[in-house]
Amino acid sequence: NAGVTQTPKFRILKIGQSMTLQCTQDMNHNYMYWYRQDPGMGLKLIYYSVGAGITDKGEVPNGYNVSRSTTEDFPLRLELAAPSQTSVYFCASSFAPYNEQFFGPGTRLTVL
Amino acid sequence: AQKVTQAQTEISVVEKEDVTLDCVYETRDTTYYLFWYKQPPSGELVFLIRRNSFDEQNEISGRYSWNFQKSTSSFNFTITASQVVDSAVYFCALSESLAGGTSYGKLTFGQGTILTVHP
């Protein structure tokens, strides 16, 4: 099992550009999450999904969008990138709520 | 609203010292879960433990131990005989409250404690 994979690992964007962060898990988990980690801070939830076709906002959803067309994939879309979106983004999945979440390696994004 | 506070921003110890990382949480609900995660310098997040609100037994796993006290809303983590490999950022997290019988497992994280173990 590869677990949770994320691409790319690093990316530099210019203000106003858009991009999609990819997240895939091969554990057949229904629950998937996107978090961001700002320097010296804990993780904050951006969006989450409880199954294919079902997504909802977390604590900091502004500037982002998600989709969940399959159980395996949960891409995060950034539209009109802003410097405030400079962060490390983590995707996670779990078999059920309250179970441990398995995290991907993260994507380090810089917006200049 | 839920909140997790890790008051210790940074801790520095010498190898073989014991160290305790504090975690205090706030929630209105009686059913919830608490977690500890480790983030080594490589950046990934590693699950350490999960504890539900009805189980106040302390847990020991090798050099790691956890003390859960509902009376003080604390879930502290102790590393005994610390090693250089324990150097990492440690996060305490609280699952979202179970409201109306529905939960989606959303986590609220503390800001993390940076632990540095010197040889």
Side-chain angles (χ1 to χ4, degrees):
Chain A
N1 281 356
V4 180
T5 57
Q6 293 182 238
T7 57
K9 291 186 178 179
F10 303 95
R11 184 72 185 268
I12 298 175
L13 283 182
K14 294 182 180 179
I15 295 173
Q17 287 185 322
S18 300
M19 75 164 294
T20 298
L21 281 65
Q22 301 292 345
C23 174
T24 300
Q25 53 91 10
D26 63 359
M27 296 172 282
N28 202 32
H29 287 169
N30 281 325
Y31 294 80
M32 295 189 74
Y33 310 86
W34 274 105
Y35 296 91
R36 60 178 285 174
Q37 182 181 20
D38 298 328
M41 303 293 289
L43 283 71
K44 292 188 176 181
L45 183 66
I46 307 171
Y47 270 94
Y48 68 99
S49 170
V50 300
I54 307 170
T55 63
D56 204 350
K57 297 177 181 178
E59 182 183 357
V60 289
N62 291 347
Y64 308 94
N65 274 302
V66 294
S67 59
R68 184 96 179 270
S69 57
T70 67
T71 299
E72 295 78 19
D73 300 307
F74 189 38
L76 178 71
R77 178 80 177 165
L78 279 72
E79 303 283 0
L80 299 175
S84 60
Q85 293 178 304
T86 294
S87 190
V88 180
Y89 291 84
F90 288 97
C91 178
S93 73
S94 66
F95 177 72
Y98 295 147
N99 279 28
E100 68 172 287
Q101 293 184 14
F102 293 84
F103 284 81
T107 294
R108 185 175 296 275
L109 174 67
T110 301
V111 182
L112 300 173
Chain B
Q2 299 187 128
K3 186 178 180 181
V4 176
T5 301
Q6 295 179 254
Q8 304 151 307
T9 303
E10 292 191 53
I11 299 176
S12 181
V13 299
V14 177
E15 213 169 15
K16 298 184 182 177
E17 283 187 33
D18 298 347
V19 58
T20 295
L21 283 62
D22 297 332
C23 173
V24 175
Y25 62 92
E26 296 176 25
T27 180
R28 296 179 183 175
D29 290 88
T30 58
T31 302
Y32 52 89
Y33 283 74
L34 293 159
F35 299 79
W36 276 94
Y37 283 87
K38 174 182 180 180
Q39 186 176 42
S42 52
E44 75 273 23
L45 282 137
V46 178
F47 167 79
L48 294 177
I49 191 172
R50 179 190 71 169
R51 171 68 72 216
N52 76 55
S53 55
F54 296 109
D55 183 1
E56 288 194 70
Q57 283 190 346
N58 291 337
E59 179 150 346
I60 298 174
S61 176
R63 296 184 297 107
Y64 295 170
S65 63
W66 290 268
N67 180 255
F68 176 33
Q69 291 196 341
K70 288 181 72 172
S71 60
T72 56
S73 296
S74 65
F75 186 42
N76 297 336
F77 174 32
T78 296
I79 301 174
T80 302
S82 59
Q83 300 176 2
V84 173
V85 294
D86 296 325
S87 296
V89 183
Y90 290 87
F91 291 101
C92 181
L94 172 67
S95 69
E96 66 158 352
S97 305
L98 185 65
T102 302
S103 168
Y104 304 114
K106 297 182 287 183
L107 292 178
T108 298
F109 283 83
Q111 65 270 39
T113 296
I114 302 170
L115 173 65
T116 303
V117 182
H118 299 281

